[in-house]
Amino acid sequence: MGLIGLALAAIAVWALVRLGRQTERRGRGHWRVTATLLGSVMLAGGALAAFRGAWLLAAGLAGAGLYVAWASRTRILPRTEPITEAEARAVLGVGPRATEAEIRAAWKRAMARAHPDQGGTEGLATRVNAARDRLLGRR
């Protein structure tokens, strides 16, 4: 029975880590809470096993619990490549003769849609910010 439980725990850990490696979309952040709770339970199980003298099981549970808790809290941010001026203008929807005030207004409109709290993604918000910085940095 012990090997079956260990195998099921290993499958659960693999599934949670696999879910965590996927890109996050709206409504998918709940896996982090679940993985953190599972990691905490595994750490507690490791402590209980250590008190009972099952050192190998305690080490396995504690190691897996630490890994799951750590992996659930680590977030990989998207890489940004340098943006050209033409791309920046296309992202913000401004022309070549746009003033600083027009660029800031376009950035505000774009960020209202692209912000992660408004249903956008971190990558898109980063791109909008890079476009603003590129256009305002030249002035």
Side-chain angles (χ1 to χ4, degrees):
M1 188 66 172
L3 287 176
I4 293 172
L6 190 59
L8 289 175
I11 290 170
V13 168
W14 174 82
L16 284 171
V17 170
R18 182 78 177 140
L19 280 173
R21 301 252 185 256
Q22 295 177 357
T23 57
E24 287 187 0
R25 285 176 258 144
R26 188 175 181 156
R28 293 201 39 113
H30 64 278
W31 81 268
R32 289 182 185 278
V33 175
T34 305
T36 302
L37 289 174
L38 178 65
S40 300
V41 169
M42 292 174 83
L43 282 171
L48 180 64
F51 284 126
R52 292 188 172 197
W55 297 107
L56 186 60
L57 179 62
L61 280 173
L66 285 173
Y67 176 75
V68 169
W70 175 78
S72 70
R73 304 317 308 165
T74 304
R75 181 178 291 193
I76 300 170
L77 295 177
R79 271 195 177 170
T80 59
E81 298 175 5
I83 189 168
T84 66
E85 186 173 346
E87 289 173 329
R89 293 192 184 286
V91 167
L92 293 180
V94 296
R97 294 181 176 233
T99 65
E100 184 175 335
E102 290 172 338
I103 292 170
R104 289 189 188 280
W107 171 80
K108 191 172 183 179
R109 283 191 307 272
M111 189 53 81
R113 293 185 308 253
H115 196 275
D117 292 344
Q118 301 298 323
T121 63
E122 286 182 29
L124 187 56
T126 303
R127 192 95 170 139
V128 170
N129 283 332
R132 179 205 54 197
D133 294 342
R134 171 73 175 177
L135 294 177
L136 293 180
R138 294 189 56 124
R139 299 208 178 263

